[in-house]
Amino acid sequence: MAKKTIMIIDDQPEILELVSFTLQKEGYDVIPAEDAEKALQELKEKDVDMFIVDIMLPNMDGFEFVRTIRAKDKHKLTPVIFLSAKGEEFDKVLGLELGADDYIVKPFSVRELLARIRAVFRRMQLGTVVKEEKPKKIVAKDLEIDIDKYEVRVKGKKVSLTPLEFDLLRFLAENEGKVFSRDVLLDKLWGYDYFGDTRTVDVHIRRLRTKIEDDPSNPRYVVTVRGKGYKFRDPGKEE
């Protein structure tokens, strides 16, 4: 298996050095950058499999950096883990709504960081295996999930989902009618539960609904079961 390349962007030299050393020791190729502008220059000549991005960066902050790379097809789906000394829920929600796969608050342990990196790569690999072993389409009313093409269409129009959003929708749809708690979804899709924050699930569900539902405040497909969790419903079967 080819070595994964991870770009770490942080303006604190001690964190940049520590994370770079740790990842290299774990067998990853590492591209360190002390600011977003240098990172963008590096990306003109190099490719990466994951970004670890500090939010509080000089000149261009981490949120703007991710908006910039997401605007390019090359890194539209590349996983992102945010690092930040800011632990407020607003910042976490904003980071996740930008399509980030995870958000780690400083100070953090390298063990926690490695666990989350492995979880993201494991989830991506699992999604590939699922796609290869279970080629099919799931059709529910006006929603079509093409497992082979990794595409989702609503009323015939293609909808752009992040890998996590796609895997979340696919998992729920493949288990239509079954209710999953936030903890179970964290374990199944993020690949960890000890470090997990259940609000992460809520943010992704909310963002997913804005993309596939006619009225996100009154969802037809991904519905909330109060006190239990979430489930997928085919509204076409109820008509």
Side-chain angles (χ1 to χ4, degrees), residues 58-148:
N59 302 320
M60 178 189 294
D61 67 23
F63 291 144
E64 187 59 32
F65 172 79
V66 171
R67 290 190 188 98
T68 301
I69 62 170
R70 287 292 190 240
K72 304 178 186 298
D73 289 338
K74 186 178 182 181
H75 292 299
K76 190 178 292 292
L77 301 179
T78 304
V80 172
I81 295 178
F82 275 123
L83 301 179
S84 180
K86 302 172 68 176
E88 287 82 0
E89 182 173 359
F90 172 80
D91 297 293
K92 291 183 178 181
V93 170
L94 178 57
L96 295 171
E97 288 190 340
L98 283 173
D101 293 77
D102 215 333
Y103 186 112
I104 303 178
V105 178
K106 296 178 180 179
F108 59 89
S109 70
V110 292
R111 173 175 167 267
E112 176 185 2
L113 177 61
L114 287 172
R116 298 202 185 199
I117 290 171
R118 292 180 186 127
V120 171
F121 281 139
R122 186 165 59 246
R123 179 187 56 76
M124 293 177 66
Q125 184 178 12
L126 178 61
T128 301
V129 171
V130 169
K131 187 176 77 168
E132 292 175 350
E133 294 182 351
K134 301 172 70 175
K136 61 180 180 179
K137 290 183 180 180
I138 300 174
V139 179
K141 187 62 175 176
D142 298 322
L143 177 69
E144 180 181 305
I145 307 168
D146 192 320
I147 307 298
D148 274 345

Side-chain angles (χ1 to χ4, degrees), residues 125-173:
Q125 184 178 12
L126 178 61
T128 301
V129 171
V130 169
K131 187 176 77 168
E132 292 175 350
E133 294 182 351
K134 301 172 70 175
K136 61 180 180 179
K137 290 183 180 180
I138 300 174
V139 179
K141 187 62 175 176
D142 298 322
L143 177 69
E144 180 181 305
I145 307 168
D146 192 320
I147 307 298
D148 274 345
K149 295 181 179 179
Y150 223 69
E151 291 180 353
V152 172
R153 296 180 181 275
V154 177
K155 298 179 181 177
K157 185 177 180 180
K158 186 177 177 180
V159 177
S160 178
L161 301 183
T162 67
L164 254 177
E165 290 164 355
F166 181 90
D167 288 342
L168 177 58
L169 177 60
R170 172 192 55 76
F171 179 78
L172 290 172

